[in-house]
Amino acid sequence: MENKNRQTDKKIIIAIDGYSSSGKSTMARELARRVGYVYVDSGAMYRAVTLYALRHGFVGRDKPLNREALVAALPDIHVSFAAGCGADGVQHTLLNGEDVENVIRDLEVSSYVSPVAEIAEVRRALVRLQQEMGRDKGIVMDGRDIGTAVFPQAEMKVFVDASASERATRRLRELEAKGEKVSYEEVLHNIEERDRIDTTREQSPLRKADDAYVLDNSNLTREEQMEWLIDLFDRLTGVS
Ligand code: CDP
């Protein structure tokens, strides 16, 4: 399947949205690699802004989020990506030029990211950046509002779902592999809390776009879900 002659002249935008820890990022990155597209992890951008807020004391333990201070600092926050700069060859997220790829995945950042992502000004700045990144198409972007707000015109939209317990189990495995000491209950709580905030917020809440294809991967292997995605991609781009 990988050697199939794809019509590289017909580039599309692929939007992958879904709940936290549904495996979107892994599948989006893999799909981009398989079809030769650029991959952008929009969640990493919200995480980088959250890390900035934490480091500057705009939010933290016993410290309510200081929205005004964060919004005022937005012009000083520059989020970008560097292709394959890590030993793993994977794209890394940069915050004002510093590689923050690992630290933005911590449970600490995860705990504050959804309230930060609710701020209209933060969303406006990041959505503008994301839309610029997709100007030439040939891009796979994953997040919460990619098919609804960032690229409502995307040719391929996928909405990923999986049960909260399955997602918590996967995320726990990931964090443990990185040496973080966290319990299943903590991870599940964080996932449920983010689901709640992400789906009920005023600004572009997480919801399935009307024209999105639903992928429930609770019981799919990585290979099965990749096959599903490539089939859909081939159908939509007219590769036979
Ligand atoms: O990887 P995981 O599913 O845990 O989350 P993520 O994709 O890294 O996103 C982290 C958080 O950023 C989400 O829980 C949302 O609150 C926010 N986010 C968003 O509001 N809009 C996006 N397009 C992407 C992420």
Side-chain angles (χ1 to χ4, degrees):
M1 187 176 287
E2 236 165 325
N3 296 329
K4 204 177 266 185
N5 210 355
R6 300 215 149 77
Q7 291 179 344
T8 43
D9 51 329
K10 193 199 169 190
K11 290 206 160 143
I12 64 167
I13 292 180
I14 304 176
I16 302 191
D17 289 305
Y19 296 99
S20 55
S21 313
S22 54
K24 297 178 308 292
S25 303
T26 313
M27 82 171 69
R29 182 181 303 118
E30 169 90 5
L31 177 62
R33 193 181 61 75
R34 291 279 294 268
V35 302
Y37 279 16
V38 170
Y39 165 62
V40 176
D41 175 353
S42 71
M45 300 167 79
Y46 290 94
R47 286 174 179 272
V49 172
T50 305
L51 178 64
Y52 184 99
L54 275 162
R55 284 180 172 176
H56 286 76
F58 300 155
V59 72
R61 208 178 281 254
D62 306 321
K63 231 186 252 168
L65 176 60
N66 185 340
R67 291 164 175 256
E68 292 71 31
L70 180 55
V71 170
L74 278 177
D76 301 327
I77 307 178
H78 301 284
V79 182
S80 56
F81 294 100
C85 68
D88 46 14
V90 166
Q91 171 177 282
H92 280 207
T93 311
L94 308 183
L95 170 60
N96 291 337
E98 177 195 344
D99 185 343
V100 293
E101 185 57 35
N102 281 328
V103 58
I104 58 169
R105 311 288 166 189
D106 288 354
L107 198 55
E108 194 192 13
V109 172
S110 300
S111 309
Y112 299 105
V113 63
S114 286
V116 167
E118 272 190 291
I119 303 174
E121 289 86 349
V122 169
R123 301 205 71 80
R124 209 172 302 134
L126 294 187
V127 167
R128 199 180 309 126
L129 204 58
Q130 290 153 7
Q131 288 171 336
E132 259 167 48
M133 291 171 165
R135 223 186 12 223
D136 298 330
K137 298 201 172 191
I139 190 169
V140 183
M141 193 176 288
D142 78 311
R144 301 290 187 285
D145 60 340
I146 312 305
T148 52
V150 181
F151 300 124
Q153 80 285 17
E155 292 87 348
M156 174 168 160
K157 297 182 187 177
V158 177
F159 190 83
V160 192
D161 202 358
S163 67
S165 58
E166 177 62 33
R167 291 185 279 131
T169 306
R170 289 182 194 154
R171 182 48 58 100
L172 180 66
R173 233 181 278 138
E174 241 174 61
L175 291 170
E176 280 177 346
K178 288 196 334 188
E180 252 199 80
K181 294 212 173 6
V182 284
S183 68
Y184 172 81
E185 286 68 32
E186 273 178 286
V187 175
L188 180 65
H189 173 75
N190 174 253
I191 283 179
E192 290 177 337
E193 188 55 15
R194 281 201 284 142
D195 284 355
R196 188 186 64 73
I197 300 177
D198 293 349
T199 50
T200 57
R201 70 179 176 217
E202 215 167 284
Q203 305 288 327
S204 348
L206 168 65
R207 67 169 183 83
K208 184 186 97 58
D210 293 337
D211 51 349
Y213 294 84
V214 177
L215 171 60
D216 184 331
N217 66 5
S218 302
N219 299 305
L220 290 185
T221 63
R222 243 168 104 165
E223 291 71 38
E224 286 167 340
Q225 91 183 357
M226 195 43 56
E227 217 169 284
W228 187 97
L229 286 164
I230 296 277
D231 271 358
L232 180 61
F233 175 83
D234 284 349
R235 250 189 295 137
L236 295 175
T237 53
V239 176
S240 53

